[in-house]
């Protein structure tokens, strides 16, 4: 059993990730391949939204199937556009044109709140304990996906959940992410804790 501070709703829940994965009949598609899984945990973006932000997260969970299952459950009240497994598998659950429930209470470097309105969220399967390493397959899948999204949407920033979470210090994800690997995209990046 893994006890985690469960995502956006701010309650501490105990989630049995192995059991969730077992219950969920799901085959990971493999590196850089995308599988679609439906969830009801999303809404419409405001009509004038410009999708200009990518938010990176760690899942605070050990496996892809259990995490995706959790994002399908109404009680979680969370979801994400994309979730990347340790093997580089990509699961999409919410259309980029819809609003996933990933950022929670948030604001960005431009002072805009409700980051979910204008962002695409990428969850990276990782325990988030500072010891669990991201795999090379996983980092490559994140980078390929980010590169594709930058070509499709007017992305002006890539941010950590930690940076945008309110109040400051509410989140620390994605912990130890190698941001320097994303510098080649020449998009401003905001990570660490926001000052002031
Ligand atoms: Zn997060």
């Amino acid at each position: 059993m893994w006890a985690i501070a469960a995502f956006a709703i701010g309650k501490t829940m105990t989630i049995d990730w192995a059991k969730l994965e077992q219950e969920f009949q799901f085959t990971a598609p493999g590196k850089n391949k995308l599988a679609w899984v439906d969830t009801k945990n999303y809404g419409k973006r405001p009509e004038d939204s410009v999708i200009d932000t990518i938010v990176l997260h760690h899942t605070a969970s050990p496996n892809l199937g259990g995490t995706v299952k959790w994002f399908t459950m109404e009680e979680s009240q969370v979801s994400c556009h994309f979730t990347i497994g340790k093997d580089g598998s990509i699961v999409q659950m919410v259309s980029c044109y819809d609003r996933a429930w990933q950022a929670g209470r948030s604001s960005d470097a431009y002072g805009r709140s409700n980051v979910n309105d204008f962002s695409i969220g990428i969850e990276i399967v990782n325990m988030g304990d500072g010891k669990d390493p991201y795999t090379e397959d996983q980092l490559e899948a994140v980078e390929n996906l980010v590169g594709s999204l930058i070509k499709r949407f007017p992305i002006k920033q890539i941010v950590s959940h930690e940076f945008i979470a309110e109040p400051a210090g509410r989140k620390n994800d994605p912990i130890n992410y190698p941001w320097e690997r994303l510098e080649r995209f020449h998009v401003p990046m905001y990570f660490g804790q926001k000052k002031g």
Side-chain angles (χ1 to χ4, degrees):
M1 301 281 266
W2 305 96
I4 65 153
F7 305 94
I9 48 178
K11 279 189 288 184
T12 299
M13 286 186 178
T14 302
I15 301 168
D16 187 339
W17 296 106
K19 183 160 168 277
L20 283 184
E21 191 188 38
Q22 209 171 26
E23 285 169 1
F24 186 48
Q25 298 300 311
F26 170 77
T27 305
K31 185 181 176 183
N32 289 326
K33 294 179 185 165
L34 192 146
W36 179 277
V37 176
D38 273 324
T39 183
K40 289 182 175 156
N41 295 348
Y42 72 95
K44 283 201 186 309
R45 294 186 188 274
E47 266 183 32
D48 56 352
S49 301
V50 176
I51 301 161
D52 62 17
T53 298
I54 294 172
V55 182
L56 298 186
H57 304 257
H58 68 232
T59 57
S61 68
N63 56 49
L64 179 62
T67 305
V68 170
K69 169 74 177 169
W70 176 243
F71 291 161
T72 69
M73 292 163 66
E74 196 182 350
E75 68 175 282
S76 78
Q77 291 292 295
V78 286
S79 65
C80 208
H81 295 92
F82 300 98
T83 305
I84 316 279
K86 291 267 184 192
D87 68 346
S89 289
I90 305 168
V91 174
Q92 185 170 8
M93 306 185 71
V94 177
S95 163
C96 290
Y97 302 104
D98 287 325
R99 182 180 184 277
W101 300 344
Q102 34 114 11
R105 210 180 127 202
S106 52
S107 69
D108 73 359
Y110 302 90
R112 301 180 298 174
S113 56
N114 298 316
V115 175
N116 279 334
D117 288 351
F118 53 84
S119 69
I120 292 171
I122 301 175
E123 288 272 4
I124 306 163
V125 173
N126 184 279
M127 285 306 298
D129 57 5
K131 292 179 237 165
D132 186 15
Y134 301 105
T135 69
E136 183 59 28
D137 285 344
Q138 199 170 29
L139 293 173
E140 285 174 16
V142 171
E143 289 155 17
N144 289 334
L145 179 58
V146 165
S148 303
L149 292 171
I150 287 169
K151 288 198 176 78
R152 182 176 290 188
F153 297 98
I155 299 298
K156 68 177 183 186
Q157 59 177 349
I158 306 170
V159 303
S160 66
H161 194 191
E162 179 179 25
F163 185 85
I164 59 168
E166 290 199 327
R170 182 170 67 84
K171 290 287 177 177
N172 69 346
D173 63 313
I175 196 166
N176 298 336
Y177 190 81
W179 290 89
E180 67 280 1
R181 292 179 53 138
L182 298 175
E183 283 171 3
R184 63 189 162 96
F185 294 116
H186 304 291
V187 171
M189 300 190 287
Y190 297 95
F191 52 88
Q193 209 164 302
K194 197 169 2 9
K195 306 276 183 284

